[in-house]
Amino acid sequence: MNVPEIAIAPDARLVGSKAANELLRAARETPSRGDRLHVAFSGGSTARYLLAALEDKSNAGNVPWERLDIYWSDERCVPVESADSNHGAALRQLLDRLPLAPEHLHKPPVEAGAPKTIAASYEATLRLVTGTSAPAIPRFDIVYLGLGLDAHIASLFPGSKALENKDRLVLHTRAPVQPIERISFSPAVLLAANRVVLLACGQEKAAVVKEVLESPPDPSRLPAQLLLSARGRVLWFLDTAAASLLSPRSAPLSTW
Ligand code: 6PG
C-alpha cells in the first residue's frame, strides 16, 4: 500500500509554492538532453495557487517551460472560453503569456463532439505524445490534483463506474454538479504516475482530508483513496486549516 507523504504549510499561497517546487525537482531529476516532462494540471481553486507560484518561479527563470508537455487530468465539456473550462482558466491566468509551443500544450478537444468522443480523442493524444502503445499505461512525471468535498479527484466521483475502469486512459464521467459532462484521467493513469501531487486548502476541506487519510480503504466512496495503490510518490500538500483535524498518527513528514 502506498504511504502518502504529507506536508503542511501555513497558507494556500505557500502550498502552491511547495507544489511548484515539485515540478522544478522533477525537472532536475530528469536528464535534460531532449527529455520531456509530462505534467498534468487539474482544475479548482488550488490550481490557481499552483499557477501563481509557477509564474513567480518562471519570472525568476526557474521553470523549464520548453521541456514541458502539458495536459489536464480532467476537463469540463464546455468551450475553452467558458469560465468553467480548466484549460481556459489556466490559459487566462498564465499559460497564454508564456512562450509555449502549441504542440506541447495538449488541450482536451472539447470541440470534438460527444464527451465519449472527446475522451477517446484525448486518450489517443496521450498515447501519441508519450509514445505509449496499448496496453501499456503512460507514466506522467507529475499529475497535480485537487480534492473535492466528496473526496473526488480529477473528475472521478464517488460511486462512479469509472473508478473500476482498468483499461482506458481517459474516461467520460458525470459530475453531481454543473457542468455535468466531464472527461477525466482514468484510475490507471493516476496510479501509474511517477508523482501525484494533491493540494487541499481551507477549513472546509479538513473533514474530507481526515476521512481519506484515516478511514479504512473504500475508494468507491472516497475516490482519493485510489491513490493508496499508486506506483509512484503521492504527495499531499495541505494548509494548516485543511490539516487541522488530522490525528497525530498521520503526522506530516515535513512542515515549513
Ligand atoms: C475540477 C477538478 C476537481 C477539483 C476539485 C477541488 O475540474 O473540478 O479538477 O477535481 O480539483 O473539485 O476543487 P477546489 O480546489 O476548487 O475545491
Side-chain angles (χ1 to χ4, degrees):
M1 184 141 71
N2 188 295
V3 179
E5 300 169 54
I6 305 167
I8 301 173
D11 60 41
R13 192 183 59 80
L14 289 168
V15 168
S17 179
K18 179 86 177 160
N21 284 343
E22 262 332 289
L23 180 56
L24 304 186
R25 200 187 314 270
R28 280 197 302 273
E29 287 170 7
T30 310
S32 61
R33 224 167 308 143
D35 249 343
R36 313 276 321 148
L37 282 167
H38 298 276
V39 178
F41 293 127
S42 191
S45 56
T46 53
R48 289 196 283 279
Y49 291 107
L50 168 64
L51 291 175
L54 284 174
E55 181 163 27
D56 282 350
K57 292 176 203 298
S58 186
N59 290 338
N62 291 330
V63 185
W65 292 107
E66 70 291 348
R67 291 182 54 203
L68 305 190
D69 274 290
I70 296 176
Y71 309 76
W72 275 266
S73 51
D74 74 321
E75 182 57 290
R76 293 95 182 269
C77 298
V78 296
V80 72
E81 298 76 25
S82 160
D84 287 322
S85 163
N86 289 341
H87 171 242
L91 290 181
R92 291 185 287 275
Q93 185 184 342
L94 173 65
L95 303 184
D96 256 351
R97 295 199 300 283
L98 299 172
L100 292 171
E103 65 272 24
H104 294 148
L105 194 56
H106 308 293
K107 78 182 194 73
V110 289
E111 65 294 336
K116 274 198 167 28
T117 312
I118 298 171
S121 164
Y122 207 40
E123 175 161 325
T125 299
L126 262 59
R127 289 216 175 277
L128 183 71
V129 180
T130 62
T132 315
S133 318
I137 307 294
R139 297 205 71 186
F140 278 75
D141 293 286
I142 301 195
V143 175
Y144 286 106
L145 297 173
L147 177 69
L149 289 175
D150 58 359
H152 75 261
I153 48 175
S155 279
L156 300 172
F157 293 90
S160 166
K161 275 202 167 21
L163 295 166
E164 289 150 34
N165 187 284
K166 301 259 187 284
D167 53 349
R168 304 307 303 262
L169 305 186
V170 184
L171 301 168
H172 165 217
T173 65
R174 290 200 169 88
V177 292
Q178 294 288 348
I180 290 171
E181 304 295 343
R182 311 279 179 105
I183 62 157
S184 178
F185 277 10
S186 67
V189 172
L190 301 181
L191 299 186
N194 286 325
R195 275 183 178 79
V196 173
V197 178
L198 190 149
L199 292 79
C201 297
Q203 191 62 43
E204 74 277 14
K205 295 286 166 73
V208 67
V209 165
K210 180 180 176 64
E211 203 175 9
V212 170
L213 288 172
E214 297 184 0
S215 47
D218 183 4
S220 67
R221 188 174 72 84
L222 300 167
Q225 288 186 337
L226 282 171
L227 302 176
L228 290 169
S229 307
R231 278 177 71 184
R233 293 175 65 191
V234 177
L235 303 146
W236 283 64
F237 293 153
L238 309 172
D239 70 355
T240 315
S244 60
L245 297 178
L246 286 178
S247 55
R249 71 186 159 88
S250 314
L253 295 183
S254 63
T255 53
W256 72 105

